[in-house]
Amino acid sequence: RLMALHCTPSRSFRHLVRGNPRPLVRAGHIIERALELEGVTHAELLAGLRKLGYERPEDVKLAMLEETGHISAVAREAE
């Protein structure tokens, strides 16, 4: 409870505790360094993308690891 009380009014404290969203895939390319920094494996990334309906990272314009630990993604537009 105490942490929740401090996180609500203080954006900097909230980011310190929860972290910031981090891009994991950009323009269909996996950002290897981001996976390393966040401790996310390729298998976990691919499983997260499959849950969102993407078969491959190449299908994704941007995939983010959110503060909550969930992956969000935006589809690449057909060329």
Side-chain angles (χ1 to χ4, degrees):
R1 277 191 190 175
L2 186 59
M3 257 202 239
L5 288 173
H6 288 312
C7 283
T8 301
S10 174
R11 178 180 225 163
S12 58
F13 185 75
R14 183 173 53 246
H15 287 301
L16 177 67
V17 172
R18 295 180 71 180
N20 291 316
R22 182 184 300 270
L24 301 178
V25 177
R26 186 172 280 136
H29 300 284
I30 296 173
I31 305 169
E32 299 293 339
R33 183 71 178 136
L35 294 181
E36 291 172 19
L37 290 171
E38 295 297 338
V40 176
T41 66
H42 276 262
E44 291 168 334
L45 172 62
L46 296 176
L49 293 177
R50 282 193 304 273
K51 280 185 178 179
L52 297 171
Y54 301 103
E55 291 182 29
R56 312 168 303 148
E58 293 82 6
D59 300 332
V60 176
K61 178 179 180 178
L62 180 67
M64 301 285 291
L65 179 63
E66 301 295 344
E67 294 175 355
T68 60
H70 291 92
I71 295 174
S72 63
V74 177
R76 286 182 82 173
E77 295 177 14
E79 297 176 8

Coordinates of all heavy atoms in Angstrom, one line a residue:
R1 N 0.8 -1.2 0.0 CA 0.0 0.0 0.0 C 0.8 1.3 0.0 O 0.5 2.2 -0.7 CB -0.9 0.0 1.2 CG -2.1 -0.8 1.1 CD -3.1 -0.5 2.2 NE -4.1 -1.4 2.2 CZ -5.1 -1.5 3.0 NH1 -5.0 -0.7 4.1 NH2 -6.0 -2.3 2.9
L2 N 1.9 1.2 0.8 CA 2.8 2.4 0.9 C 3.4 2.7 -0.5 O 3.4 3.9 -0.8 CB 3.9 2.1 1.9 CG 4.8 3.3 2.3 CD1 4.0 4.5 2.8 CD2 5.8 2.9 3.3
M3 N 3.8 1.7 -1.2 CA 4.4 2.0 -2.5 C 3.3 2.5 -3.5 O 3.6 3.5 -4.2 CB 5.0 0.7 -3.1 CG 6.5 0.7 -3.0 SD 7.2 -0.4 -4.2 CE 8.0 -1.5 -3.2
A4 N 2.1 2.0 -3.4 CA 1.1 2.5 -4.3 C 0.8 3.9 -4.0 O 0.5 4.7 -4.9 CB -0.2 1.6 -4.1
L5 N 0.8 4.3 -2.7 CA 0.5 5.7 -2.3 C 1.6 6.6 -2.9 O 1.3 7.8 -3.3 CB 0.5 5.9 -0.8 CG -0.8 5.3 -0.2 CD1 -0.6 5.4 1.4 CD2 -2.0 6.1 -0.6
H6 N 2.9 6.2 -2.9 CA 3.9 7.0 -3.5 C 3.9 7.0 -5.0 O 4.4 8.0 -5.6 CB 5.3 6.5 -2.9 CG 5.5 6.8 -1.5 ND1 5.3 8.0 -0.9 CD2 6.0 6.0 -0.5 CE1 5.6 8.0 0.3 NE2 6.0 6.8 0.6
C7 N 3.5 5.9 -5.6 CA 3.5 5.9 -7.1 C 2.5 6.8 -7.7 O 2.7 7.3 -8.8 CB 3.3 4.4 -7.5 SG 4.8 3.4 -7.3
T8 N 1.4 6.9 -7.1 CA 0.3 7.7 -7.6 C 0.7 9.1 -7.9 O 0.6 9.6 -9.1 CB -1.0 7.6 -6.7 OG1 -1.3 6.3 -6.6 CG2 -2.1 8.4 -7.3
P9 N 1.2 9.9 -7.0 CA 1.5 11.3 -7.2 C 2.8 11.5 -7.9 O 3.1 12.6 -8.5 CB 1.4 12.0 -5.9 CG 1.8 10.9 -4.9 CD 1.2 9.6 -5.5
S10 N 3.7 10.6 -7.7 CA 5.1 10.8 -8.2 C 5.4 10.0 -9.4 O 5.7 8.7 -9.3 CB 6.1 10.4 -7.0 OG 7.4 10.5 -7.5
R11 N 5.5 10.6 -10.5 CA 5.8 9.9 -11.8 C 7.2 9.3 -11.7 O 7.5 8.2 -12.2 CB 5.7 10.9 -13.0 CG 6.0 10.3 -14.3 CD 5.9 11.3 -15.4 NE 5.2 10.6 -16.5 CZ 4.6 11.1 -17.4 NH1 4.6 12.4 -17.5 NH2 4.0 10.4 -18.4
S12 N 8.2 10.1 -11.2 CA 9.6 9.6 -11.2 C 9.7 8.4 -10.3 O 10.4 7.4 -10.6 CB 10.5 10.7 -10.8 OG 10.2 11.2 -9.5
F13 N 9.0 8.4 -9.1 CA 9.0 7.2 -8.2 C 8.4 6.0 -8.9 O 8.9 4.9 -8.8 CB 8.4 7.5 -6.9 CG 8.5 6.4 -5.9 CD1 9.7 6.2 -5.2 CD2 7.4 5.6 -5.6 CE1 9.8 5.2 -4.3 CE2 7.5 4.6 -4.7 CZ 8.7 4.3 -4.0
R14 N 7.3 6.2 -9.6 CA 6.6 5.2 -10.3 C 7.5 4.5 -11.3 O 7.5 3.3 -11.4 CB 5.3 5.7 -10.9 CG 4.5 4.6 -11.6 CD 3.1 5.1 -12.1 NE 3.2 6.3 -13.0 CZ 2.7 7.5 -12.6 NH1 2.2 7.7 -11.5 NH2 2.9 8.5 -13.5
H15 N 8.2 5.3 -12.1 CA 9.1 4.8 -13.1 C 10.3 4.0 -12.5 O 10.8 3.1 -13.0 CB 9.6 5.9 -14.0 CG 8.6 6.4 -15.0 ND1 8.0 5.6 -15.9 CD2 8.1 7.6 -15.2 CE1 7.1 6.3 -16.6 NE2 7.2 7.5 -16.2
L16 N 10.7 4.5 -11.3 CA 11.8 3.8 -10.6 C 11.4 2.4 -10.2 O 12.1 1.5 -10.3 CB 12.3 4.6 -9.4 CG 13.3 4.0 -8.5 CD1 14.6 3.9 -9.3 CD2 13.5 4.8 -7.2
V17 N 10.1 2.3 -9.7 CA 9.6 1.1 -9.2 C 9.1 0.1 -10.3 O 9.5 -1.0 -10.3 CB 8.4 1.3 -8.2 CG1 7.7 0.0 -7.8 CG2 8.9 2.0 -7.0
R18 N 8.4 0.7 -11.3 CA 7.8 -0.1 -12.3 C 8.6 -0.2 -13.6 O 8.3 -1.0 -14.4 CB 6.4 0.4 -12.6 CG 5.4 0.2 -11.4 CD 4.1 0.7 -11.7 NE 3.4 -0.2 -12.7 CZ 2.2 0.0 -13.1 NH1 1.5 1.1 -12.7 NH2 1.7 -0.8 -14.0
G19 N 9.5 0.8 -13.8 CA 10.2 0.8 -15.1 C 9.4 1.6 -16.1 O 8.4 2.1 -15.9
N20 N 10.0 1.7 -17.3 CA 9.4 2.4 -18.5 C 9.1 1.3 -19.5 O 9.8 0.3 -19.6 CB 10.4 3.4 -19.0 CG 10.6 4.5 -18.1 OD1 9.7 5.1 -17.5 ND2 11.9 5.0 -17.9
P21 N 8.2 1.6 -20.4 CA 7.9 0.8 -21.5 C 9.2 0.7 -22.4 O 9.9 1.7 -22.5 CB 6.8 1.4 -22.3 CG 6.1 2.3 -21.3 CD 7.2 2.7 -20.3
R22 N 9.5 -0.4 -23.0 CA 10.7 -0.6 -23.8 C 10.4 -1.3 -25.1 O 9.7 -2.3 -25.1 CB 11.8 -1.4 -23.0 CG 13.1 -1.5 -23.8 CD 14.1 -2.3 -23.2 NE 14.5 -1.9 -21.9 CZ 15.6 -1.0 -21.7 NH1 16.2 -0.6 -22.7 NH2 15.9 -0.7 -20.4
P23 N 10.8 -0.7 -26.2 CA 10.6 -1.4 -27.5 C 11.4 -2.7 -27.6 O 12.6 -2.7 -27.2 CB 11.0 -0.4 -28.6 CG 11.8 0.6 -27.8 CD 11.5 0.6 -26.4
L24 N 10.7 -3.7 -28.0 CA 11.4 -5.0 -28.2 C 11.5 -5.4 -29.7 O 12.4 -6.1 -30.1 CB 10.6 -6.2 -27.5 CG 10.5 -6.0 -26.0 CD1 9.6 -7.2 -25.5 CD2 11.8 -5.9 -25.3
V25 N 10.6 -4.9 -30.5 CA 10.6 -5.1 -32.0 C 10.3 -3.7 -32.6 O 9.4 -3.0 -32.2 CB 9.5 -6.1 -32.4 CG1 9.5 -6.3 -33.9 CG2 9.8 -7.5 -31.8
R26 N 11.1 -3.4 -33.6 CA 10.9 -2.2 -34.4 C 11.0 -2.5 -35.8 O 12.0 -3.0 -36.2 CB 11.8 -1.1 -33.9 CG 11.5 0.3 -34.6 CD 12.3 1.4 -34.0 NE 11.7 1.8 -32.7 CZ 12.4 2.1 -31.7 NH1 13.7 2.0 -31.7 NH2 11.8 2.5 -30.6
A27 N 10.0 -2.2 -36.6 CA 10.0 -2.4 -38.1 C 10.3 -3.8 -38.4 O 11.0 -4.1 -39.3 CB 10.9 -1.4 -38.8
G28 N 9.8 -4.8 -37.6 CA 9.9 -6.2 -37.9 C 11.2 -6.8 -37.4 O 11.5 -8.0 -37.6
H29 N 12.1 -6.0 -36.8 CA 13.4 -6.4 -36.3 C 13.4 -6.5 -34.8 O 13.1 -5.5 -34.1 CB 14.5 -5.5 -36.8 CG 14.6 -5.5 -38.3 ND1 15.1 -6.5 -39.1 CD2 14.2 -4.5 -39.2 CE1 15.1 -6.1 -40.4 NE2 14.5 -5.0 -40.4
I30 N 13.9 -7.6 -34.3 CA 14.0 -7.8 -32.8 C 15.2 -7.0 -32.3 O 16.3 -7.0 -32.9 CB 14.2 -9.3 -32.5 CG1 12.9 -10.1 -32.9 CG2 14.5 -9.4 -31.0 CD1 13.1 -11.6 -32.7
I31 N 15.0 -6.2 -31.3 CA 16.0 -5.4 -30.6 C 16.7 -6.3 -29.6 O 16.2 -6.4 -28.5 CB 15.5 -4.1 -30.0 CG1 14.7 -3.4 -31.1 CG2 16.6 -3.3 -29.4 CD1 13.9 -2.2 -30.6
E32 N 17.8 -7.0 -30.0 CA 18.4 -7.9 -29.1 C 18.9 -7.4 -27.8 O 18.7 -8.0 -26.7 CB 19.7 -8.5 -29.8 CG 19.3 -9.3 -31.1 CD 18.5 -10.5 -30.9 OE1 18.6 -11.1 -29.8 OE2 17.9 -11.0 -31.9
R33 N 19.4 -6.2 -27.8 CA 19.9 -5.5 -26.6 C 18.7 -5.3 -25.6 O 18.9 -5.5 -24.4 CB 20.6 -4.2 -26.9 CG 21.2 -3.5 -25.7 CD 22.4 -4.3 -25.2 NE 22.9 -3.5 -24.1 CZ 23.4 -4.1 -22.9 NH1 23.3 -5.4 -22.8 NH2 23.8 -3.3 -22.0
A34 N 17.6 -4.9 -26.1 CA 16.4 -4.7 -25.2 C 16.0 -6.0 -24.6 O 15.6 -6.1 -23.4 CB 15.2 -4.1 -26.0
L35 N 16.0 -7.1 -25.3 CA 15.7 -8.4 -24.7 C 16.7 -8.8 -23.6 O 16.2 -9.2 -22.5 CB 15.7 -9.5 -25.8 CG 14.7 -9.5 -26.9 CD1 14.9 -10.7 -27.8 CD2 13.3 -9.5 -26.4
E36 N 17.9 -8.5 -23.8 CA 19.0 -8.8 -22.8 C 18.7 -8.0 -21.6 O 18.7 -8.5 -20.4 CB 20.4 -8.5 -23.3 CG 20.8 -9.4 -24.4 CD 22.2 -9.0 -25.0 OE1 22.9 -8.1 -24.4 OE2 22.5 -9.4 -26.1
L37 N 18.5 -6.7 -21.7 CA 18.3 -5.8 -20.6 C 17.1 -6.1 -19.8 O 17.0 -5.9 -18.6 CB 18.2 -4.3 -21.1 CG 19.5 -3.7 -21.6 CD1 19.2 -2.4 -22.3 CD2 20.5 -3.6 -20.5
E38 N 16.0 -6.6 -20.5 CA 14.8 -6.9 -19.8 C 14.7 -8.3 -19.3 O 13.7 -8.7 -18.6 CB 13.6 -6.5 -20.7 CG 13.4 -5.1 -21.0 CD 13.2 -4.2 -19.8 OE1 12.7 -4.7 -18.7 OE2 13.5 -3.0 -19.8
G39 N 15.6 -9.2 -19.7 CA 15.6 -10.6 -19.3 C 14.5 -11.3 -20.0 O 13.9 -12.3 -19.5
V40 N 14.2 -11.0 -21.3 CA 13.1 -11.6 -22.0 C 13.8 -12.5 -23.1 O 14.7 -12.1 -23.8 CB 12.2 -10.6 -22.8 CG1 11.2 -11.3 -23.7 CG2 11.6 -9.7 -21.8
T41 N 13.4 -13.8 -23.1 CA 14.0 -14.7 -24.1 C 13.2 -14.6 -25.5 O 12.1 -14.0 -25.5 CB 13.9 -16.2 -23.7 OG1 12.5 -16.5 -23.6 CG2 14.5 -16.4 -22.3
H42 N 13.9 -15.1 -26.5 CA 13.2 -15.1 -27.8 C 11.9 -15.9 -27.7 O 10.9 -15.4 -28.3 CB 14.1 -15.7 -28.9 CG 15.1 -14.8 -29.5 ND1 14.9 -14.1 -30.7 CD2 16.3 -14.3 -29.0 CE1 15.9 -13.4 -30.9 NE2 16.8 -13.5 -29.9
A43 N 11.9 -17.0 -27.0 CA 10.7 -17.8 -26.9 C 9.6 -17.0 -26.2 O 8.4 -17.1 -26.6 CB 11.0 -19.1 -26.1
E44 N 9.9 -16.3 -25.2 CA 8.9 -15.5 -24.5 C 8.3 -14.4 -25.4 O 7.1 -14.1 -25.4 CB 9.5 -14.9 -23.2 CG 9.8 -15.9 -22.1 CD 10.6 -15.3 -21.0 OE1 11.4 -14.4 -21.2 OE2 10.5 -15.9 -19.9
L45 N 9.2 -13.7 -26.1 CA 8.8 -12.7 -27.1 C 7.9 -13.3 -28.1 O 6.8 -12.7 -28.4 CB 10.0 -12.0 -27.7 CG 9.7 -11.0 -28.9 CD1 8.8 -9.9 -28.4 CD2 10.9 -10.6 -29.6
L46 N 8.3 -14.4 -28.8 CA 7.5 -15.0 -29.8 C 6.1 -15.4 -29.2 O 5.1 -15.3 -29.9 CB 8.2 -16.1 -30.4 CG 9.5 -15.7 -31.2 CD1 10.2 -17.0 -31.7 CD2 9.2 -14.7 -32.3
A47 N 6.1 -16.0 -28.0 CA 4.8 -16.4 -27.4 C 3.9 -15.2 -27.2 O 2.7 -15.3 -27.4 CB 5.1 -17.1 -26.1
G48 N 4.5 -14.1 -26.7 CA 3.7 -12.9 -26.5 C 3.1 -12.4 -27.8 O 2.0 -11.9 -27.8
L49 N 3.9 -12.4 -28.9 CA 3.4 -11.9 -30.2 C 2.3 -12.9 -30.7 O 1.3 -12.4 -31.2 CB 4.6 -11.8 -31.2 CG 5.6 -10.8 -30.9 CD1 6.7 -10.8 -31.9 CD2 5.0 -9.4 -30.8
R50 N 2.5 -14.2 -30.5 CA 1.5 -15.1 -30.9 C 0.1 -14.9 -30.2 O -0.9 -15.0 -30.8 CB 1.9 -16.6 -30.7 CG 2.9 -17.1 -31.8 CD 3.1 -18.6 -31.7 NE 3.5 -19.0 -30.4 CZ 4.8 -19.1 -30.0 NH1 5.7 -18.8 -30.8 NH2 5.1 -19.6 -28.8
K51 N 0.2 -14.6 -28.9 CA -1.0 -14.3 -28.1 C -1.7 -13.1 -28.7 O -3.0 -13.0 -28.6 CB -0.7 -13.9 -26.7 CG -0.4 -15.1 -25.8 CD -0.2 -14.6 -24.4 CE 0.0 -15.8 -23.4 NZ 0.2 -15.3 -22.1
L52 N -1.0 -12.2 -29.4 CA -1.6 -11.0 -30.0 C -2.0 -11.2 -31.4 O -2.5 -10.3 -32.1 CB -0.6 -9.8 -29.9 CG -0.3 -9.4 -28.5 CD1 0.9 -8.4 -28.5 CD2 -1.5 -8.8 -27.7
G53 N -1.7 -12.4 -31.9 CA -2.1 -12.8 -33.3 C -1.1 -12.6 -34.4 O -1.4 -12.6 -35.5
Y54 N 0.2 -12.4 -33.9 CA 1.3 -12.3 -34.9 C 2.1 -13.5 -35.0 O 2.6 -14.0 -34.0 CB 2.2 -11.1 -34.5 CG 1.4 -9.8 -34.5 CD1 1.1 -9.2 -33.2 CD2 1.1 -9.1 -35.6 CE1 0.3 -8.1 -33.1 CE2 0.3 -7.9 -35.5 CZ 0.0 -7.4 -34.3 OH -0.7 -6.2 -34.2
E55 N 2.3 -14.0 -36.2 CA 3.1 -15.3 -36.3 C 4.6 -15.0 -36.3 O 5.3 -15.9 -35.8 CB 2.7 -15.9 -37.7 CG 1.3 -16.5 -37.7 CD 1.0 -17.2 -39.0 OE1 2.0 -17.7 -39.7 OE2 -0.1 -17.1 -39.5
R56 N 5.0 -13.9 -36.7 CA 6.4 -13.6 -36.8 C 6.7 -12.1 -36.4 O 5.9 -11.3 -36.6 CB 7.0 -13.8 -38.3 CG 6.5 -15.0 -38.9 CD 6.8 -15.0 -40.4 NE 6.1 -13.9 -41.1 CZ 6.6 -13.2 -42.2 NH1 7.8 -13.6 -42.7 NH2 6.0 -12.2 -42.7
P57 N 7.9 -11.9 -35.9 CA 8.3 -10.5 -35.6 C 8.2 -9.6 -36.9 O 7.9 -8.4 -36.7 CB 9.7 -10.6 -35.1 CG 9.9 -11.9 -34.6 CD 9.0 -12.8 -35.5
E58 N 8.4 -10.1 -38.0 CA 8.4 -9.4 -39.3 C 7.0 -8.8 -39.5 O 6.8 -7.8 -40.3 CB 8.8 -10.2 -40.5 CG 10.3 -10.6 -40.4 CD 10.6 -11.8 -39.6 OE1 9.6 -12.5 -39.0 OE2 11.7 -12.1 -39.4
D59 N 6.0 -9.3 -38.9 CA 4.6 -8.8 -39.0 C 4.3 -7.6 -38.2 O 3.2 -7.1 -38.2 CB 3.6 -9.9 -38.7 CG 3.7 -11.2 -39.6 OD1 4.2 -11.0 -40.7 OD2 3.4 -12.3 -39.1
V60 N 5.3 -7.2 -37.3 CA 5.1 -6.2 -36.3 C 5.8 -4.9 -36.6 O 7.0 -5.0 -36.9 CB 5.5 -6.8 -34.9 CG1 5.4 -5.7 -33.9 CG2 4.7 -8.0 -34.6
K61 N 5.1 -3.8 -36.6 CA 5.8 -2.5 -36.7 C 6.5 -2.1 -35.4 O 7.6 -1.7 -35.5 CB 4.7 -1.4 -37.1 CG 5.2 0.0 -37.2 CD 4.1 0.9 -37.5 CE 4.6 2.3 -37.7 NZ 3.5 3.2 -38.1
L62 N 5.8 -2.3 -34.3 CA 6.4 -2.0 -33.0 C 5.8 -2.9 -31.9 O 4.6 -3.0 -31.9 CB 6.1 -0.5 -32.7 CG 6.6 0.0 -31.3 CD1 8.1 0.1 -31.3 CD2 6.0 1.4 -31.0
A63 N 6.7 -3.5 -31.1 CA 6.2 -4.3 -30.0 C 6.9 -3.7 -28.8 O 8.1 -3.5 -28.8 CB 6.6 -5.8 -30.2
M64 N 6.1 -3.5 -27.7 CA 6.7 -2.9 -26.5 C 6.5 -3.8 -25.3 O 5.4 -4.5 -25.2 CB 5.9 -1.5 -26.2 CG 6.0 -0.5 -27.3 SD 7.6 0.3 -27.4 CE 7.6 1.2 -25.9
L65 N 7.4 -3.8 -24.4 CA 7.3 -4.4 -23.1 C 6.8 -3.3 -22.2 O 7.5 -2.4 -22.0 CB 8.6 -5.0 -22.6 CG 8.5 -5.7 -21.3 CD1 7.6 -6.9 -21.3 CD2 9.9 -6.1 -20.8
E66 N 5.5 -3.5 -21.8 CA 4.9 -2.4 -21.0 C 5.3 -2.5 -19.5 O 5.9 -3.5 -19.1 CB 3.4 -2.6 -21.1 CG 2.8 -2.4 -22.5 CD 3.0 -1.1 -23.2 OE1 3.3 -0.1 -22.4 OE2 2.9 -1.0 -24.4
E67 N 5.0 -1.5 -18.8 CA 5.4 -1.4 -17.4 C 4.8 -2.6 -16.6 O 5.3 -3.0 -15.6 CB 4.8 -0.1 -16.7 CG 5.5 1.1 -17.3 CD 4.8 2.4 -16.7 OE1 3.8 2.3 -16.0 OE2 5.4 3.5 -17.0
T68 N 3.7 -3.1 -17.1 CA 3.0 -4.2 -16.4 C 3.6 -5.5 -16.7 O 3.3 -6.5 -16.0 CB 1.5 -4.3 -16.9 OG1 1.5 -4.5 -18.3 CG2 0.8 -3.0 -16.5
G69 N 4.6 -5.6 -17.6 CA 5.2 -6.8 -18.0 C 4.6 -7.5 -19.2 O 5.0 -8.5 -19.7
H70 N 3.5 -6.9 -19.7 CA 2.8 -7.5 -20.9 C 3.4 -6.9 -22.2 O 4.0 -5.8 -22.1 CB 1.3 -7.1 -20.9 CG 0.6 -7.9 -19.8 ND1 0.4 -7.3 -18.5 CD2 0.0 -9.1 -19.8 CE1 -0.2 -8.2 -17.8 NE2 -0.5 -9.3 -18.5
I71 N 3.3 -7.6 -23.2 CA 3.8 -7.1 -24.5 C 2.6 -6.6 -25.3 O 1.5 -7.2 -25.4 CB 4.4 -8.3 -25.3 CG1 5.7 -8.7 -24.6 CG2 4.8 -7.8 -26.8 CD1 6.4 -9.9 -25.2
S72 N 2.8 -5.4 -25.9 CA 1.8 -4.8 -26.8 C 2.4 -4.7 -28.2 O 3.7 -4.6 -28.2 CB 1.3 -3.5 -26.3 OG 2.3 -2.5 -26.2
A73 N 1.6 -4.7 -29.2 CA 2.2 -4.6 -30.6 C 1.3 -3.9 -31.5 O 0.0 -4.0 -31.4 CB 2.5 -6.0 -31.1
V74 N 1.9 -3.3 -32.6 CA 1.2 -2.7 -33.7 C 1.6 -3.4 -34.9 O 2.8 -3.6 -35.2 CB 1.5 -1.2 -33.7 CG1 0.8 -0.5 -34.9 CG2 1.1 -0.5 -32.4
A75 N 0.6 -3.8 -35.8 CA 0.9 -4.5 -37.0 C 1.6 -3.6 -38.0 O 1.4 -2.4 -38.1 CB -0.4 -5.0 -37.6
R76 N 2.5 -4.2 -38.8 CA 3.1 -3.5 -40.0 C 2.0 -3.4 -41.1 O 1.3 -4.4 -41.2 CB 4.3 -4.3 -40.5 CG 5.5 -4.1 -39.6 CD 6.7 -4.8 -40.2 NE 7.3 -4.0 -41.2 CZ 8.5 -4.3 -41.8 NH1 9.1 -5.4 -41.5 NH2 9.0 -3.5 -42.6
E77 N 2.1 -2.4 -41.8 CA 1.1 -2.2 -42.9 C 1.7 -3.0 -44.1 O 2.9 -3.1 -44.3 CB 1.0 -0.7 -43.3 CG 0.4 0.1 -42.2 CD 0.3 1.5 -42.5 OE1 0.4 1.9 -43.7 OE2 0.0 2.3 -41.6
A78 N 0.7 -3.6 -44.9 CA 1.1 -4.3 -46.1 C 1.8 -3.4 -47.0 O 1.4 -2.3 -47.2 CB -0.1 -5.0 -46.7
E79 N 2.9 -3.9 -47.6 CA 3.6 -3.0 -48.6 C 3.2 -3.3 -50.0 O 2.7 -4.2 -50.4 CB 5.1 -3.3 -48.4 CG 5.6 -2.9 -47.1 CD 7.1 -3.3 -46.9 OE1 7.8 -3.7 -47.8 OE2 7.5 -3.2 -45.7

